[in-house]
Amino acid sequence: MNKILSFGRSCKAYLRLYKEQGPDVKLCCENCNRKLHKHGRYFRWVTSKSEHIHIPIYRWLCPSCGTTISLLPDFLIPWARFTTWVRESVIVRKRQGKSLGWIAGAVVSTRIGLSPSTVKRWWKQQTAKVAATSLWIASQLVKAGCEEDLLRMHPKPVAVEPADTWIWFGQLVQRYAPRLSRLRGYWTFLNAKIPREYLL
C-alpha cells in the first residue's frame, strides 16, 4: 500500500532531507487504527526533466495486522517513473494542441528522452480519469461549503467531449487550490489529497 505526502519541493530537496533518515511522521493503520512503526526503506529511480535520481522510499509497518505502507513524495505516484511535474507538463501542452512529437522533444532534455508513444499513452490514461477526478474535486468543494452550481460551469454538460471536461477540471482545480503556485503544478497538490483511484 502507498500513501502520498508532501516531502520537499523537488526531487533534490527530498534527497537532501531524507537521504539517510526517513521523515518524522506519525501514522495509524487504516485497517486496525494501530500506530505504525518504521520498517526500513527501498530505493527507486525517478526521472525529472533533466536527470535520473535514485531516491529512498520509506516504509511503515502495522505490528497488529502486518499492513505495510510505503510513503511516496507527492511528485510520485505508484509505478510512475517520471515525476508528476513532467507528466502534468505533457498534458498541459497536449491540451494546448501541441503535437505528440513536439511535446516529446520539448518537455524533457534530449539526454532523458521521451517518446511520442509515451505522450499518447499518458494522454489516454489521464483523459479516461479526468471526469471522475473532476467529480471528486466538485464533491470536496461542496463539502467545504461551496454553493455555486459547479455542474453549470461545465462548458458542455450534454454530449461531453474530453476537451470540455479538461476545461471543467481546470476550473475546479483553481477553486480547490486558488493560491497554489503554478511552479510545482496542481497535480502534486491533488495527489497528496485524492483517493488512489483518482491519482493523476
Side-chain angles (χ1 to χ4, degrees), residues 43-68:
F43 285 82
R44 62 174 284 188
W45 287 99
V46 179
T47 304
S48 69
K49 292 180 179 181
S50 59
E51 61 186 327
H52 303 290
I53 302 173
H54 205 218
I55 67 168
I57 302 295
Y58 291 90
R59 304 169 77 210
W60 268 251
L61 173 69
C62 176
S64 178
C65 70
T67 296
T68 303

Side-chain angles (χ1 to χ4, degrees), residues 7-23 41-46 51-58 73 75-76 85:
F7 295 126
R9 294 186 56 81
S10 67
C11 300
K12 289 182 178 178
Y14 174 85
L15 199 55
R16 279 194 305 272
L17 290 168
Y18 307 116
K19 184 175 182 179
E20 301 299 335
Q21 185 173 345
R41 64 182 179 173
Y42 63 92
F43 285 82
R44 62 174 284 188
W45 287 99
V46 179
E51 61 186 327
H52 303 290
I53 302 173
H54 205 218
I55 67 168
I57 302 295
Y58 291 90
F75 53 80
L76 284 179
W85 304 308

Side-chain angles (χ1 to χ4, degrees), residues 44-143:
R44 62 174 284 188
W45 287 99
V46 179
T47 304
S48 69
K49 292 180 179 181
S50 59
E51 61 186 327
H52 303 290
I53 302 173
H54 205 218
I55 67 168
I57 302 295
Y58 291 90
R59 304 169 77 210
W60 268 251
L61 173 69
C62 176
S64 178
C65 70
T67 296
T68 303
I69 294 179
S70 297
L71 288 189
L72 298 182
D74 61 3
F75 53 80
L76 284 179
I77 62 169
W79 313 112
R81 180 169 61 96
F82 282 88
T83 63
T84 299
W85 304 308
V86 170
R87 293 181 301 102
E88 183 174 2
S89 294
V90 163
I91 300 305
V92 167
R93 284 159 178 77
K94 184 70 175 73
R95 288 183 57 201
Q96 292 169 346
K98 306 293 187 186
S99 71
L100 299 177
W102 185 92
I103 295 168
V107 169
V108 300
S109 72
T110 53
R111 190 166 59 85
I112 294 298
L114 179 64
S115 72
S117 62
T118 298
V119 171
K120 183 177 181 180
R121 177 169 49 83
W122 289 352
W123 175 249
K124 286 179 70 175
Q125 288 172 343
Q126 302 310 334
T127 298
K129 285 184 181 181
V130 70
T133 303
S134 298
L135 288 170
W136 183 88
I137 296 169
S139 73
Q140 298 307 297
L141 289 168
V142 170
K143 287 178 185 176

